[in-house]
Amino acid sequence: MATLKVPLDLADLSEVKTSLDRRYSLIDEGVLERKVIAIVNGKGGVGKSSLSSALAVAWSKIGHDVLLMEMDEQGNNCEDLGISNTAMNDRGAAQAAAVLEGKPLTPAGQARPHLHVVPGGDELEEVVEELYCQRRAAKTATEPDDQTAWMGMYAAAIDKVRDDYDVIILDIAPGSEVLQLAALTAADYVLIPSKSDPSSRKGLRTVAKRFSVAAQDNTMLRLLGVVLFATNSSATKVQKNIKDALESDLRGAAPVFEQNIRHVEAAAVEARLRGKVPQELRTSSELSTSLRKSMKDLAGDYQSLAIEVMQAMADVRAQDEAGEDQE
């Protein structure tokens, strides 16, 4: 793995702090437009990357300029979009350069019309190491701003390109606390995919705690809700019980979306193997009749969810505007 030539000085986050000051001023003035959505869980294998790719494709197909950034060393988005073996897969190099060197956050290319990608990959090891170093150094700082500035490293990079896109999706690794805190500091919305098993719900509660930490500085941050994954579409009572339990875990802080994503293993695997999201394969004549039906059902789930999430984001913006009118 190549080592970046100009690593960020551990003692100097002045550019990051300047960027954060500018961000907070825009928030106070009510002119920072919400458009960054973090998709995160504290546990892997809950559908995070599949959801990120499916939403990105759905929104790009209706003409939104979407930036999909995978903050994960696994690089699953590249598989989902069929760009693993192309020049677009830079293994996280552009992302690392933006965060560590202050270079412009430059997409590797367009995986689909209107869909710009910043891949993840093993180059992000450098970023995670730097974030841990910065957090450790910040513990000795006396000024409150210096203690939390490291959390704004991604926000500083993303805010430079925020105006270039209609939606920015952050697909965040499950295991790294520092990476999740940095992503939540940069985000406006949070979407949590979860399965019904205790381990997934534990991961959800972990994210809820980190959300609370990031929200102390990022007053833009809103928890949109939970997307329930890998459910049996016919088990209505079971689904309701699961949703009630998840809402209890969140203490009513956010809803569980009505549209869940059903468990169709064969269709999900086939989609990733072909490098396309289910919506792009729903009518494929290359699939068997039974697999095409499953793919169509799964695609319908993602499509309905994309509409529901977009409505939820619009509702948050409307609430913001209503609050401004009352002031």
Side-chain angles (χ1 to χ4, degrees):
M1 182 180 67
T3 301
L4 294 170
K5 295 181 179 179
V6 190
L8 201 65
D9 188 333
L10 288 178
D12 183 12
L13 285 179
S14 59
E15 289 189 15
V16 172
K17 290 192 289 184
T18 298
S19 178
L20 289 175
D21 287 343
R22 186 184 308 114
R23 160 185 265 258
Y24 297 147
S25 294
L26 293 174
I27 291 174
D28 290 341
E29 294 169 13
V31 295
L32 189 67
E33 184 180 355
R34 293 182 183 277
K35 57 176 66 178
V36 183
I37 178 169
I39 299 181
V40 59
N41 192 305
K43 178 186 180 298
V46 295
K48 173 182 61 66
S49 293
S50 297
L51 175 60
S52 299
S53 298
L55 291 179
V57 171
W59 292 334
S60 66
K61 278 186 174 293
I62 59 175
H64 290 299
D65 283 315
V66 179
L67 178 67
L68 173 60
M69 181 159 73
E70 182 172 15
M71 297 171 61
D72 196 326
E73 296 173 21
Q74 291 190 25
N76 288 333
N77 289 157
C78 286
E79 290 186 48
D80 291 332
L81 298 174
I83 60 172
S84 293
N85 299 317
T86 73
M88 275 188 274
N89 184 10
D90 69 353
R91 301 176 14 252
Q95 183 179 159
V99 176
L100 298 181
E101 300 179 49
K103 292 184 176 180
L105 183 60
T106 306
Q110 291 190 58
R112 306 287 190 274
H114 298 289
L115 174 50
H116 310 260
V117 292
V118 177
D122 55 13
E123 293 282 352
L124 296 189
E125 291 178 16
E126 297 270 354
V127 177
V128 175
E129 289 175 7
E130 180 73 17
L131 288 170
Y132 275 115
C133 289
Q134 291 287 356
R135 183 174 70 169
R136 189 161 52 247
K139 292 180 180 179
T140 63
T142 56
E143 294 295 325
D145 288 350
D146 291 334
Q147 294 171 2
T148 59
W150 67 270
M151 290 171 57
M153 290 170 65
Y154 264 93
I158 291 170
D159 281 353
K160 292 178 182 178
V161 301
R162 174 185 282 260
D163 292 340
D164 297 338
Y165 305 98
D166 299 310
V167 183
I168 299 173
I169 300 173
L170 308 180
D171 177 6
I172 308 160
S176 173
E177 179 183 11
V178 291
L179 202 59
Q180 289 191 357
L181 286 171
L184 292 172
T185 300
D188 306 314
Y189 309 101
V190 178
L191 189 62
I192 307 177
S194 181
K195 294 183 179 178
S196 60
D197 61 283
S199 181
S200 296
R201 289 176 54 194
K202 182 179 179 181
L204 183 152
R205 291 192 292 270
T206 297
V207 171
K209 292 177 182 177
R210 292 171 183 171
F211 174 96
S212 297
V213 173
Q216 292 177 18
D217 289 316
N218 182 8
T219 57
M220 289 279 284
L221 197 61
R222 296 291 183 273
L223 191 54
L224 286 180
V226 177
V227 178
L228 191 56
F229 256 78
T231 64
N232 185 327
S233 59
S234 63
T236 305
K237 184 176 180 180
V238 173
Q239 288 181 36
K240 183 181 185 305
N241 290 340
I242 292 170
K243 288 182 178 182
D244 288 345
L246 290 173
E247 288 179 342
S248 175
D249 289 340
L250 291 172
R251 298 178 181 177
V256 177
F257 283 92
E258 287 299 320
Q259 180 61 58
N260 58 269
I261 306 299
R262 72 190 71 203
H263 179 67
V264 191
E265 184 70 18
V269 169
E270 186 70 21
R272 179 160 284 181
L273 286 174
R274 290 176 178 266
K276 295 184 178 181
V277 301
Q279 301 100 295
E280 297 174 307
L281 293 169
R282 63 191 306 165
T283 60
S284 175
S285 59
E286 297 179 5
L287 305 180
S288 66
T289 302
S290 60
L291 185 55
R292 187 163 59 246
K293 181 183 183 305
S294 296
M295 193 71 73
K296 183 177 181 180
D297 290 340
L298 186 59
D301 290 348
Y302 278 120
Q303 198 65 30
S304 296
L305 180 65
I307 296 170
E308 191 176 354
V309 172
M310 186 165 285
Q311 182 59 57
M313 291 191 291
D315 290 345
V316 170
R317 290 193 293 268
Q319 291 169 10
D320 287 345
E321 293 173 1
E324 290 172 5
D325 292 340
Q326 293 175 3
E327 293 179 358

